Amino acid sequence: MRLRTTKACYLLLLGFLLIGCAQKSETMQHKYTNALIKETSPYLLQHAHNPVNWEAWGPEVLARAKEENKPLLISIGYAACHWCHVMEHECFEDEEVAQIMNANFINIKIDREERPDVDQIYMDALQMMSGSGGWPLNIVALPDGKPFWGATYVPKDNWIKSLKQLTTLYQEQHEKVAAYAADLEKGIKAINLVEANPSETTFDLKALDQTVAQWATQFDTFLGGYKRAPKFMMPNNLDFLMHYAALESKDSVMAYVDTTLTRMAYGGIFDHVGGGFSRYAVDTKWHVPHFEKMLYDNGQLTSLYAKAFARTNNPLYRSVVEKTIAFATSELMDESGGFYASLDADSNNAKGELEEGAYYVWTAEELQAILKEDFSIFKDYYNINTYGLWEAGNYVLIRDKTDTAIAQKHGITVEDLRQLVDDSLQKLKVIRDKRPRPRLDDKVLSAWNGLMLKGLIDAYRYLGEDRFLDLALNTANFLKEEMIDERGKLFRNYKKGKRTINGFLDDYATVIEAFIALYEVTFDNQWLQLATTLTTTVIQDFKDRESGLFYYTSTEDDPLIRRTLEINDNVISSSNSIMAKNLLKLHKLYPKADYGTQATQMVQRVAAQFKEYASGFANWLHLILYYERPFYEVAVVGQQYREKGQQIGRTYLPNSILVGTAKEGTIDLLQNRYAPNRTLIYVCIEGACKLPVTSVDKVLDQIGMDTVP
């Protein structure tokens, strides 16, 4: 994964790396307005009053660059990016810098969250040139978009020096620059090729066991996560490992998953006061986060903890789900029903200066004044000591002991302890709500809303609270009404009724996944129909006929220098791995369609890479368990189909799909199975069903799994 560059500044000029540092300059008053004022992205609007003549990415801008024979200066970032803000203040708000940029370049600003298709290509280019990456991502390219220079954060003096060198180079050695750019373009395309594998390539349970055993050498079994810092949460890694451990009875792997989930929930990376998770922890104990809060993390972690609760009945996991949803709905939810993208890491401190984490941290004196007689217990609970100290006298709340241990130490009951802690956190929230708030990125992205929708669905499925289903239906209806057009095409972005970008593969994949899951908890056919409609669009507009995989961009999009095939699972699972799982599940419901063949072909194309880089293909590995272990289709037919379906759904059954109807259904599994005055449950594998039963316990016996005690 790519980490945000901190004080190191990387520049490359045709192979030479320049490194520099500079002091932050004073933010100048806004005097200018550029073309970004017409955009909806908060990140682009942040730059709308720079003296730089910024423009958004578009074919007309590239055409003008060709006409004027000027290189493109492409600067990519996102609203919650700390060092993007720093470089803006130091460089892009500076009139001297702007004069050089405006005179010699066509300047393009890109929100990487709106245009990940462009970001993917230029991030690959930067990593090929310099060996590192991060944001802000600054690229200089030929007018046709082929890059020949790149850097992350650059201080003003080095930026000016580099711009002048690049201008001279482009004007005086244009042929060499063009030749370098052509070679780099070949590399950018080659790095994304998926090599053909023999059609019989397999990856069986024995290979999976060996792969996980090798993978486990990286596990931090004491603090959770991996044996390194910073620590990222990687929900897809933990989701697969929980699935694998449950099916294969791997107690040590399950213990590692639970250790990680507990330590993350105890850590400062989880906002104990307001709920929700920050981006990652800079240390090994999940203590000090990079304080930005992203919708995609919180959606995935809601799903993960809900599943973990179903498996363990651990009240800590339930609490995390409830608090994370409370955060998302109070801080990120749009009145339309969609969810915003993120909260910034920075907010104004007591001096009125932007500071990372200012909104979230506490001094011991503040806590004592607010909590009074409850402070002594709260101090032990959240380590207001050397363990919880961050810097400059500020503490980030972190746990390292169970409720039982703290209660015993202070001679009170666990119930009284929890009440005291809850009351204390509420007092802190009242005070914190009066502080200057972190900046909000209020654009709505389909892909991330798909992840949050899946989180809400899993919260309802496994915790059984109707309010979570109400929220899920609200978001699902927003996606149906605002983000999908009459042709079955999905949009990427939304803000105040405006949709300006076609959906990418991850938008389709996560929304399809969520709609399938929503069908499983409602048995409302409209969600299944929408899932199949969107899948048809994906197959028509995104498929690479040679590999069987799907391109990240649609055939309706303007061509870039590469059509990306996204296969590696990162903090968010790859769009191809999600689509492969979707196709496999749709195959179980529509076996006469070609979904199953396509899913198998996709797995075979990438399986050779699983063993060497398991964590980077974690979401793909679910499919190995789907193929190698029985995958159950559970059909509930009769008047009590909703009640019985809900009971079955609350059990952690990762290798299954659930369907239901009162009488007859449209899918094969629900046809010719109705019996008057009875609710029958059929457990099937590839449409071949066991004898029907009437109780949930008998269903679980047939599947071979017991209910959670």
Side-chain angles (χ1 to χ4, degrees), residues 306-318:
K307 293 174 187 176
F309 174 74
R311 183 180 54 78
T312 64
N313 209 26
N314 184 339
L316 174 66
Y317 298 164
R318 171 185 276 273

Side-chain angles (χ1 to χ4, degrees), residues 119-229:
D119 177 68
Q120 291 166 349
I121 292 170
Y122 290 126
M123 184 59 72
D124 282 349
L126 179 63
Q127 292 190 320
M128 289 179 65
M129 289 188 285
S130 69
S132 65
W135 296 274
L137 168 58
N138 297 295
I139 290 289
V140 177
L142 300 176
D144 61 5
K146 297 174 185 175
F148 62 90
W149 178 90
T152 54
Y153 161 74
V154 187
K156 176 183 172 180
D157 290 345
N158 280 354
W159 184 245
I160 290 174
K161 181 180 178 181
S162 299
L163 294 180
K164 290 180 178 178
Q165 290 176 331
L166 288 162
T167 300
T168 300
L169 190 71
Y170 183 79
Q171 293 173 350
E172 298 181 1
Q173 301 185 50
H174 190 273
E175 290 184 2
K176 289 184 179 180
V177 170
Y180 180 81
D183 288 342
L184 188 57
E185 180 193 19
K186 293 177 183 176
I188 292 169
K189 291 179 177 178
I191 199 174
N192 194 235
L193 293 176
V194 177
E195 294 184 5
N197 290 321
S199 60
E200 297 302 318
T201 296
T202 58
F203 192 89
D204 58 16
L205 276 178
K206 182 179 179 181
L208 185 60
D209 289 340
Q210 294 171 345
T211 296
V212 175
Q214 178 61 34
W215 186 3
T217 62
Q218 305 170 37
F219 295 171
D220 183 340
T221 56
F222 178 62
L223 292 170
Y226 297 115
K227 298 174 183 175
R228 59 175 179 260

Side-chain angles (χ1 to χ4, degrees), residues 316-366:
L316 174 66
Y317 298 164
R318 171 185 276 273
S319 176
V320 168
V321 172
E322 292 172 339
K323 289 182 177 181
T324 302
I325 293 175
F327 153 71
T329 53
S330 65
E331 301 287 337
L332 296 180
M333 195 168 191
D334 183 71
E335 61 183 9
S336 67
F339 286 87
Y340 301 137
S342 66
L343 283 180
D344 204 330
D346 297 352
S347 58
N348 285 332
N349 59 22
K351 298 178 181 179
E353 300 169 342
L354 279 178
E355 179 183 331
E356 183 172 358
Y359 184 70
Y360 299 99
V361 299
W362 306 90
T363 66
E365 293 75 19
E366 283 179 302

Side-chain angles (χ1 to χ4, degrees), residues 208 212 215 235-245 618-619 621-622 625 652:
L208 185 60
V212 175
W215 186 3
N236 54 32
N237 282 205
L238 295 169
D239 187 33
F240 165 73
L241 290 169
M242 183 163 64
H243 181 185
Y244 170 78
N619 198 51
L621 293 175
H622 287 285
L625 293 172
Y652 179 64

Side-chain angles (χ1 to χ4, degrees), residues 22 25 37 93 99 108 127 142 147 195 250 267 365 381 400 482 507 543-544 551 566 640:
S25 64
I37 198 67
E93 292 178 347
Q99 186 176 12
I108 299 175
Q127 292 190 320
L142 300 176
E195 294 184 5
K250 301 291 185 180
E365 293 75 19
Y381 197 85
D400 69 338
E482 298 292 345
D507 297 300
K543 189 166 184 178
D544 174 19
Y551 287 116
E566 184 190 52
Q640 293 182 297

